[in-house]
């Protein structure tokens, strides 16, 4: 009888303990310094559930999106709630992750807030995680999904520098979790949940979705997409939100061959429209309606430099298609498993001042003469960030010699065969501090002796003084061989896509050079680009696609 009473008594104590809800607050620190900018983590835990959130969420002051995690006991099912918007909540359940956790249990002990704790160690993605847990309270839980089977986790240390540790434990009669997790909740699978939560953390502007860029008389504009130069240019008007100083802007284009087997020049650009004439006028009325540039070599180049009434297009990203990716993947070579898509992604935060809170024509050009051409997807994403690498508030277009209207009669950029090269005059209405030239350059043309395959020095002069000189050259083109199934193979064992080139490779983005110009005073200035362009050989000629915008603070 006495044994039964004792058993019943201890069972009652366990029930009371497991039914009791504890509120435990934790602080985050890094290298011994408390991370005051982070809202403290805390949990509500009892024998049936463990909620993980933070003070901002509890006080319903957290910015969207945010996440609350619940671990159901004793199954240790992880239920995640993603709050994407005030009226949009998604959830998913994971019944396996906790069971898969493995730990090395050590004999080390210490006390945290008066409770005897033991240490367990695990490794995750090359990170060493040390977990201190206690069995004194007869419940399991913690500020992370890690260690839910061990006991009550009071401290987690990662790589001896990142620490989350309990600072207070108290009993509570009830929580306000029902006031936070309420309303309609949409359940989804784990990958779908992660994808939706991830994408909700930034703004996505869809520009082009599965659009064809080709050469065909049948290419026509529609209500959303304008097409020019026989379909080699596509254009769409995009509305940008106001972009704050603490946000980054990225552009991402994905490209596949839809019939064209060759490597081609591509560019993503936008059209400034703050003057009486714009590049858009040239698209609609013809390249020769744009301002002309002449440097004494007998040729005329239209729409490439600014005037009082015109600004050239601003290049966002220069890219190059690979040899026939996807469409020509049927070409088999031993040991080669071809990629199916060429991705191009680039940080363009420095252009933010000219994008923020504006409606702009965004265009993409791929120079080709193929009816199938290429298929592209383009989006721009805006991300909240603590990085402030680019602090310029001014973007001034200076030149863009990429012959975007090539298939509508715009000439190749061969102006560097004259001593004058490219010469641009511009006027600053105000002083420009910390001025930089955002300069993109690629050499083209010819075969073995053309500037595509011969290194050439680019020299930049400001107000008659050379301020920068370099040789743009890429030697890593062979790294992208698997993007080029139609690349020709030569008797020497190389493929065309292996060859080094003047600042580009098939299947890659060409990065801008950021050239410091110091402080520029208000008034008239000049910038000159000189390149020793190679001579014409029969029908083969060389050219250089260069674009430049002036960045700085006014």
């Amino acid at each position: 009888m006495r044994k039964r009473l004792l058993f019943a008594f201890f069972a009652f104590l366990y029930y009371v303990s497991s039914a009791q809800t504890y509120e435990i607050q934790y602080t985050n620190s890094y290298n011994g310094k408390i991370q005051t900018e982070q809202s403290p983590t805390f949990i509500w835990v009892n024998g049936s559930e463990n909620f993980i959130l933070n003070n901002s969420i509890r006080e319903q002051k957290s910015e969207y999106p945010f996440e609350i995690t619940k671990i159901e006991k004793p199954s240790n099912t992880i239920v995640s709630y993603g709050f994407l918007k005030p009226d949009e909540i998604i959830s998913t359940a994971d019944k396996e992750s906790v069971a898969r956790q493995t730990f090395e249990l050590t004999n080390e002990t210490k006390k945290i807030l008066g409770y005897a704790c033991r240490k367990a160690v695990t490794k995750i993605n090359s990170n060493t995680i040390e977990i201190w847990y206690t069995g004194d309270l007869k419940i399991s839980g913690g500020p992370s999904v890690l260690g839910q089977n061990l006991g009550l986790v009071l401290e987690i240390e990662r790589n001896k520098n990142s620490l989350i540790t309990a600072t207070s434990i108290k009993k509570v009669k009830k929580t306000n979790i029902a006031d936070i997790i309420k309303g309609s909740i949409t359940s989804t699978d784990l990958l779908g949940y992660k994808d939706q939560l991830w994408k909700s953390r930034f703004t996505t502007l869809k520009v082009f979705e599965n659009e064809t860029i080709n050469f065909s008389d049948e290419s026509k504009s529609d209500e959303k997409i304008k097409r020019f130069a026989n379909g080699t240019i596509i254009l769409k008007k995009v509305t940008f939100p106001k972009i704050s100083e603490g946000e980054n802007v990225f552009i991402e284009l994905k490209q596949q061959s839809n019939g064209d087997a060759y490597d081609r020049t591509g560019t993503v650009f936008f059209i400034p429209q703050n003057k009486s004439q714009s590049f858009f006028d040239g698209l609609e009325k013809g390249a020769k309606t744009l301002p002309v540039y002449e440097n004494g070599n007998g040729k005329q180049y239209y729409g490439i430099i600014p005037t009082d009434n015109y600004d050239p297009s601003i290049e966002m990203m220069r890219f190059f298609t690979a040899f026939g990716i996807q469409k020509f993947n049927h070409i088999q070579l031993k040991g080669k498993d071809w990629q199916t898509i060429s991705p191009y992604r680039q940080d363009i935060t420095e252009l933010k001042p000219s994008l923020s809170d504006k409606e702009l024509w965004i265009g993409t050009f791929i120079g080709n003469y193929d009816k199938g051409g290429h298929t592209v997807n383009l989006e721009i994403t805006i991300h909240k960030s603590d990085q402030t690498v680019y602090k310029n508030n001014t973007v001034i277009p200076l030149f863009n010699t990429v012959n975007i209207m090539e298939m509508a009669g715009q000439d190749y950029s061969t102006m560097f065969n004259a001593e004058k090269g490219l010469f641009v005059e511009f006027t600053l209405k105000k002083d420009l501090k910390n001025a930089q030239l955002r300069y993109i350059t690629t050499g083209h043309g010819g075969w073995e002796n053309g500037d595509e395959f011969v290194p050439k020095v680019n020299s930049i002069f400001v107000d008659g003084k050379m301020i920068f000189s370099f040789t743009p050259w890429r030697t890593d083109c062979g790294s992208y061989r698997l993007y080029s199934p139609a690349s020709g193979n030569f008797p020497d064992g190389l493929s065309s896509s292996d060859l080094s080139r003047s600042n580009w490779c098939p299947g890659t983005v060409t990065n801008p050079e950021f050239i410091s110009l110091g402080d520029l005073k208000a008034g008239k200035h000049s910038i000159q680009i000189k390149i020793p362009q190679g001579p014409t050989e029969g029908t083969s000629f060389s050219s250089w696609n260069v674009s430049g915008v002036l960045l700085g603070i006014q």
Side-chain angles (χ1 to χ4, degrees):
M1 183 69 178
R2 186 179 178 185
K3 288 183 178 180
R4 289 181 185 175
L5 288 174
L6 284 173
F7 177 80
F9 175 73
F10 285 117
F12 174 75
L13 284 180
Y14 179 81
Y15 171 78
V16 171
S17 175
S18 63
Q20 176 65 60
T21 297
Y22 293 88
E23 181 179 295
I24 306 173
Q25 184 159 305
Y26 299 78
T27 58
N28 299 282
S29 60
Y30 187 77
N31 286 331
K33 184 178 180 180
I34 294 177
Q35 303 295 289
T36 55
E37 71 279 2
Q38 294 184 17
S39 182
T41 301
F42 81 94
I43 66 173
W44 285 314
V45 60
N46 55 39
S48 61
E49 56 192 13
N50 176 188
F51 285 97
I52 305 171
L53 55 162
N54 62 45
N55 277 336
S56 294
I57 297 173
R58 176 173 61 171
E59 295 169 0
Q60 300 185 51
K61 296 179 180 178
S62 183
E63 294 184 1
Y64 292 91
F66 62 85
E67 193 173 16
I68 293 176
T69 302
K70 178 176 74 169
I71 296 92
E72 296 176 346
K73 304 293 183 175
S75 66
N76 280 328
T77 299
I78 303 169
V79 181
S80 301
Y81 298 93
F83 295 74
L84 310 184
K85 299 176 183 177
D87 58 349
E88 187 175 357
I89 307 173
I90 59 174
S91 71
T92 192
D94 178 0
K95 299 181 179 180
E96 302 176 358
S97 291
V98 172
R100 289 199 297 263
Q101 296 173 13
T102 58
F103 298 93
E104 176 192 348
L105 303 180
T106 74
N107 294 322
E108 293 184 55
T109 62
K110 71 175 179 179
K111 285 196 172 184
I112 300 174
L113 297 177
Y115 297 99
C117 296
R118 299 178 68 88
K119 186 172 83 169
V121 182
T122 189
K123 286 200 172 185
I124 300 175
N125 298 334
S126 301
N127 296 294
T128 300
I129 314 293
E130 297 180 358
I131 296 175
W132 291 91
Y133 63 96
T134 182
D136 290 357
L137 295 176
K138 310 300 181 187
I139 56 173
S140 296
S144 162
V145 297
L146 291 175
Q148 290 286 331
N149 277 331
L150 296 174
L152 182 60
V153 176
L154 296 183
E155 187 172 275
I156 300 175
E157 187 173 47
R158 178 173 60 87
N159 296 334
K160 295 294 184 182
N161 53 26
S162 182
L163 185 70
I164 179 170
T165 186
T167 54
S168 69
I169 300 177
K170 65 180 180 180
K171 298 177 181 179
V172 295
K173 292 183 178 180
K174 65 176 184 177
T175 72
N176 70 327
I177 193 66
D179 297 329
I180 303 172
I181 304 177
K182 61 183 180 180
S184 177
I185 301 173
T186 303
S187 297
T188 183
D189 63 280
L190 184 58
L191 283 179
Y193 173 88
K194 290 180 178 179
D195 184 62
Q196 287 188 63
L197 185 64
W198 174 253
K199 289 179 178 177
S200 72
R201 298 185 186 279
F202 52 89
T203 299
T204 300
L205 304 177
K206 295 283 188 181
V207 185
F208 301 124
E209 295 185 70
N210 295 318
E211 293 293 339
T212 299
I213 298 178
N214 63 349
F215 183 81
S216 172
D217 292 335
E218 299 173 6
S219 295
K220 304 297 180 184
S221 299
D222 56 37
E223 292 181 0
K224 293 184 178 180
I225 308 295
K226 288 187 174 294
R227 301 176 188 277
F228 298 99
N230 291 83
T232 57
I233 303 166
I234 57 176
L235 210 65
K236 181 180 178 180
K237 187 164 281 189
V238 176
T239 300
F240 287 82
K242 186 175 179 58
I243 308 172
S244 68
E245 183 178 345
E247 290 184 303
N248 289 340
V249 185
F250 278 75
I251 188 168
E252 182 169 12
L253 184 138
K254 296 177 180 178
Q255 173 267 332
Q256 293 174 310
S257 168
N258 192 44
D260 187 12
Y262 281 94
D263 54 335
R264 305 293 190 180
T265 300
T267 182
V268 182
F269 61 93
F270 69 89
I271 299 175
Q273 291 183 287
N274 56 328
K275 293 184 178 180
S276 60
Q277 190 178 22
S278 75
F279 189 75
F280 188 79
D281 297 319
L283 292 172
E284 287 199 314
K285 302 172 185 178
K288 291 185 178 181
T289 64
L290 299 178
V292 63
Y293 172 75
E294 296 179 282
N295 68 348
N297 70 352
K299 289 191 174 184
Q300 295 179 320
Y301 306 94
Y302 293 91
I304 67 171
I305 65 170
T307 67
D308 292 340
N309 301 315
Y310 170 82
D311 278 332
S313 61
I314 293 181
E315 187 168 36
M316 304 171 86
M317 179 170 70
R318 178 89 52 85
F319 67 95
F320 293 87
T321 70
F323 287 89
I325 188 168
Q326 180 60 19
K327 186 70 174 181
F328 293 85
N329 280 14
H330 61 272
I331 298 173
Q332 294 185 348
L333 292 177
K334 187 175 179 61
K336 304 293 185 186
D337 295 321
W338 306 122
Q339 297 291 322
T340 59
I341 194 164
S342 285
Y344 312 90
R345 182 170 170 83
Q346 190 170 26
D347 184 352
I348 58 166
T349 304
E350 70 277 4
L351 300 178
K352 178 169 58 180
S354 58
L355 304 174
S356 178
D357 201 23
K358 290 183 174 67
E359 187 177 55
L360 297 166
W361 286 108
I362 304 294
T364 300
F365 158 76
I366 297 176
N368 73 101
Y369 288 94
D370 187 89
K371 189 171 184 179
H374 304 259
T375 301
V376 298
N377 288 270
L378 177 67
E379 66 181 27
I380 297 168
T381 55
I382 303 168
H383 307 256
K384 293 181 180 178
S385 175
D386 295 329
Q387 290 188 335
T388 54
V389 175
Y390 301 108
K391 297 181 179 180
N392 59 295
N393 63 11
T394 302
V395 176
I396 301 172
L398 294 179
F399 52 87
N400 188 352
T401 74
V402 182
N403 51 327
I404 297 170
M405 288 187 280
E406 174 186 346
M407 286 68 188
Q410 188 180 19
D411 207 350
Y412 288 85
S413 47
T414 57
M415 69 282 296
F416 300 102
N417 64 357
E419 174 63 23
K420 187 177 179 181
L422 178 65
F423 183 85
V424 180
E425 292 183 321
F426 61 97
T427 301
L428 295 176
K429 294 180 180 180
K430 299 179 181 178
D431 291 351
L432 188 66
K433 295 181 179 179
N434 300 321
Q436 284 185 310
L437 175 66
R438 181 188 189 262
Y439 180 66
I440 303 176
T441 178
T442 50
H444 305 268
W447 289 94
E448 289 84 356
N449 297 318
D451 283 6
E452 177 177 333
F453 301 108
V454 178
K456 294 293 179 71
V457 176
N458 283 220
S459 299
I460 294 94
F461 297 77
V462 175
D463 296 334
K465 180 180 179 181
M466 189 173 74
I467 49 88
F468 192 73
S469 181
F470 76 112
T471 302
W473 191 246
R474 290 282 294 265
T475 61
D476 59 332
C477 296
S479 302
Y480 306 96
R481 180 67 181 92
L482 295 181
Y483 292 87
S484 292
S487 178
N489 295 311
F490 301 137
D492 60 4
L494 292 176
S495 170
S496 179
S497 62
D498 292 332
L499 300 178
S500 299
R501 289 172 167 85
S502 288
N503 214 30
W504 65 276
C505 297
T508 69
V509 166
T510 292
N511 292 323
E513 296 288 331
F514 292 91
I515 302 167
S516 177
L517 308 181
D519 296 338
L520 297 178
K521 292 292 185 181
K524 193 172 183 179
H525 296 273
S526 67
I527 187 163
Q528 186 177 24
I529 312 297
K530 289 188 175 185
I531 304 169
Q533 181 179 301
T536 297
E537 295 180 314
T539 59
S540 297
F541 61 90
S542 295
S543 63
W544 282 82
N545 288 326
V546 299
S547 71
V549 295
L550 190 60
L551 310 175
I553 300 173
Q554 283 189 330

